Structures are given as structure tokens and as C-alpha cells.
Amino acid sequence: MSESKLAGQFFDAAIGLLQRVRDEEGERIAEAGTAVADAVAAGNRLFAFGAGHSSLPAQDVVYRAGGLALMNFLAVPGTAGVDVMPATLGSALERVGGLAGAVLDSSPAGAGDVLVVISLSGRNALPVEMAVNARALGLTVIGVTSVAYARETRSRHASGTFLKDHCDIVLDSKIAVGDAELTLDGIAAPFAPASTVVTSAIMQAVMAAAAGELAARGIEPPLLRSGNVDGGHEWNGRVMQEYGDRIFFRH
């Protein structure tokens, strides 16, 4: 099979997943957008968390042109990407208990805020405890995960539960266990993961729904503009000044 056919198959697989999420999760995505809009309108704060590659869709909605200025990244040191050395340490830290509570206790997150917890498998201690602790503090928790893992794998949390069991709203990415869309004779392992494409789309869809809900209430959504268009820096400066008490990615 030619390389171009494999590339096309990946695009087809990703598009198929996006269509499934659009058709099957649309109501819950709208519900999540309303929860975000509620927090913005009430003067509360917005946070997103993900570990490892699940941190990428969380970071994608923070300080982003066309995105809500109030979305903050809730980082757990050593897990917010693949820059920790060795990279395998990040995966190990996801299984360590107690980190989520320590991070939340030292963060500005509190009752009435919204936290989006992103975890493809939802089975490790860190995302489960993040959701449990956040809800105990009175946050609304939106989980973005693959529900298939809860059916086909075992939890690594002491409770035996998954992220999906501790969320106010669950958005199912529909990603199959293993996160690889393609197979080919002669290649021993499945390949071509699509979770980042799909999960990032889910996050942007939630932000879009939130912006629309705010506008419907007569509230100007606190959106950022690109710094690479004329007037973008000035626009962003005004937004950050107005909402500075809820933006934590600047000092």
C-alpha cells in the first residue's frame, strides 16, 4: 500500500471520529459550553488540565487567538507534556496518588469555577483524583475521555473508578483503546493516533458553544485576537486588563 493511501486512511478515520462526536456528543458539548458560560457570567474562573499528550488539547485553549481569555492551564509539574526527563517519568507520575490534591490546594481554583479534565483513558490516579478533589471544592468538572477504556480496561485508581465516574459532564471522544487508527501487514504495532485531533476539536467546540451562549445573554465573550493582525495586541491588552483577576497565565 502506498504512503499516500495510508495518509488518506488516517484522514478518513479522523474525519469519521469527528463526525461521530459531532452527532453523538453534540448535546453534551452544548451543555459543557453552557457551564463555561455560566462561570464567565458569574465572575468565576476557568481551568483545563491534562497530563502527557492529554495536556495538548488543554493547552490549546489557553492564551489562544480566537479563544476565551479566561481559560487557564492547571499544570501538575512533570506531567504537562513530554519535556520532563526522562519522558517516561510523566507517565509514572500519573499513577502517583496525592498530586492532584496538592496542586488544587495551591491553585486559585475554588467553588463555582469550571475545570475541564482531559484524560484519554481516564484510568490513572491523577485525573481521577483531580476530578474528585475539584468537585469536593465545589467546582463544576467537565471530563473529556474515551468511555471505551472504562469498558475494556481496569482502573489504576484505588477506588476502581474512572474519570467519567466523577464528572458533572462527560464528553466521550470515541477513541478506541490503544489510540491507533491504522494497521498494516508487516507492521507489528497499530499506528496513527487520532486522540489529539479529536480532543482538541471537542475543546474548541465547547469554547465556541460558550461564546455563543454568552452572546445570546447579551454578554460580550472575553475573546483574544491574534497578535499577528493589526490591533491584536491592543485588543488583548484591554481584555486582559478587564479580566485580569481571572487570568493566571500572566504575572
Side-chain angles (χ1 to χ4, degrees):
M1 178 177 293
S2 70
E3 293 85 349
S4 62
K5 286 186 177 179
L6 282 173
Q9 284 187 359
F10 174 76
F11 279 113
D12 289 342
I15 290 167
L17 285 164
L18 289 169
Q19 289 174 330
R20 279 193 65 197
V21 169
R22 179 197 62 194
D23 295 342
E24 299 174 19
E25 299 297 305
E27 289 186 9
R28 284 176 287 276
I29 287 171
E31 183 183 356
T34 297
V36 171
D38 287 344
V40 173
N44 294 115
R45 289 74 60 92
L46 307 174
F47 299 90
F49 163 77
H53 287 94
S54 289
S55 73
L56 300 178
Q59 295 181 58
D60 192 43
V61 293
V62 176
Y63 188 51
R64 181 64 190 262
L68 292 174
L70 307 190
M71 183 59 71
N72 300 279
F73 183 59
L74 188 64
V76 176
T79 70
V82 294
D83 57 339
V84 61
M85 293 297 289
T88 51
L89 175 61
S91 297
L93 289 174
E94 289 186 60
R95 305 180 190 184
V96 175
L99 287 178
V103 168
L104 279 169
D105 288 346
S106 61
S107 80
D113 295 344
V114 167
L115 172 63
V116 183
V117 179
I118 303 170
S119 174
L120 177 61
S121 73
R123 68 191 296 227
N124 288 311
L126 185 54
V128 172
E129 291 183 0
M130 187 67 75
V132 169
N133 283 279
R135 290 181 89 186
L137 290 172
L139 280 79
T140 296
V141 176
I142 300 168
V144 185
T145 187
S146 169
V147 174
Y149 278 83
R151 295 192 301 263
E152 301 176 34
T153 70
R154 296 179 62 183
S155 171
R156 290 186 175 128
H157 188 257
S159 67
T161 61
F162 288 76
L163 169 61
K164 74 173 186 63
D165 300 315
H166 304 285
C167 300
D168 298 285
I169 302 167
V170 176
L171 306 178
D172 184 4
S173 64
K174 314 294 181 182
I175 301 296
V177 173
D179 190 20
E181 295 300 318
L182 302 182
T183 58
L184 185 68
D185 289 342
I187 299 179
F191 55 99
S195 61
T196 305
V197 173
V198 176
T199 307
S200 290
I202 290 172
M203 293 297 291
Q204 295 298 346
V206 170
M207 298 301 108
E213 178 64 24
L214 287 166
R217 301 181 192 185
I219 300 171
E220 178 70 26
L223 296 168
L224 295 173
R225 291 181 180 268
S226 171
N228 295 313
V229 299
D230 292 341
H233 286 298
E234 293 76 13
W235 172 282
N236 293 342
R238 289 192 297 270
V239 171
M240 290 187 181
Q241 182 175 11
E242 181 176 355
Y243 293 95
D245 61 332
R246 291 189 267 171
I247 297 172
F248 304 106
F249 51 78
R250 47 196 302 269
H251 296 290

